Amino acid sequence: MIDTIKIQVSSGKGGDGIIAFDSKRKADGGNGGKGGDVYLVGDSNVYDFSRISKEKTFKAEDGGIGEKNKRTGKGGKDIEIHVPLVTKVFNGDDTEVFSITKNGFKIKICSGGEGGLGNFSLRGKGWDGKLSRTKGQESESKDLRLE
C-alpha cells in the first residue's frame, strides 16, 4: 500500500495561429487550439496511490495549430488523476495547497495554454496584421506531493 507519492504534472501548450490566404488574397488563417488542463478528482473507489505510482509524470495534450478557412485548431484533451478521499496536496516547497475530502470533487491543478491568433484575427492592422500570427501560450508545470 502506497501512502505518499511525488508526481510532476504539466498542462498542454496552446496551439499556434497560422498565416494563410484564400484565393482572393484575403487573410484566412485560424487560431490555435487551447491546451489541455490537469485535474485531481476525489474517488471513493481508490484506496491508495498504487495506480498512480506506475506513472510519475502526467502531461495533458497540446492544442492543435490553426487551420485554413478560419478554423480553430483542435483543443487538447484534459487529464483527470483519480486520488483517494482525504488526500492532502503539497507544493514542491512542502506547503499544503488543499485537501480532497468529497467523492467526485474535481479541482484544476494546471491550466492549459491559450491558443495563438491567426492572421484572420489580426487582419485589421493592415498588411502587418495579414502577415503576422501569434504563438500559443506555454504549458504550466508543477511538482506535487500527495499523501
Side-chain angles (χ1 to χ4, degrees):
M1 191 159 127
I2 301 172
D3 293 334
T4 304
I5 189 168
K6 288 186 178 182
I7 62 172
Q8 182 181 18
V9 293
S10 57
S11 62
K13 177 189 177 305
D16 297 336
I18 67 163
I19 297 173
F21 295 95
D22 63 8
S23 60
K24 298 174 186 165
R25 293 186 50 186
K26 294 189 178 189
D28 198 32
N31 300 337
K34 183 185 178 308
D37 300 328
V38 180
Y39 295 94
L40 280 182
V41 181
D43 192 345
S44 61
N45 296 323
V46 177
Y47 300 105
D48 64 356
F49 298 114
S50 58
R51 293 181 187 174
I52 301 173
S53 67
K54 296 173 186 144
E55 191 174 338
K56 301 275 185 176
T57 59
F58 297 90
K59 181 167 180 3
E61 194 175 81
D62 292 338
I65 62 171
E67 299 176 12
K68 282 185 162 188
N69 298 325
K70 306 172 200 77
R71 292 185 302 208
T72 302
K74 179 182 171 192
K77 281 188 177 180
D78 297 338
I79 287 184
E80 291 183 355
I81 303 169
H82 292 268
V83 296
L85 300 181
V86 196
T87 297
K88 292 182 181 177
V89 181
F90 296 90
N91 267 340
D93 59 354
D94 285 340
T95 57
E96 185 175 349
V97 182
F98 54 86
S99 180
I100 296 176
T101 57
K102 293 183 180 177
N103 187 34
F105 181 71
K106 184 176 180 179
I107 188 158
K108 187 188 295 186
I109 301 174
C110 293
S111 296
E114 292 297 320
L117 299 176
N119 67 338
F120 181 76
S121 296
L122 301 171
R123 71 191 182 282
K125 298 182 171 97
W127 275 106
D128 290 339
K130 288 183 180 180
L131 297 174
S132 64
R133 64 177 175 95
T134 59
K135 292 192 175 274
Q137 286 181 347
E138 290 299 316
S139 63
E140 179 183 350
S141 63
K142 294 181 181 178
D143 293 323
L144 300 174
R145 183 170 56 93
L146 308 176
E147 45 176 72

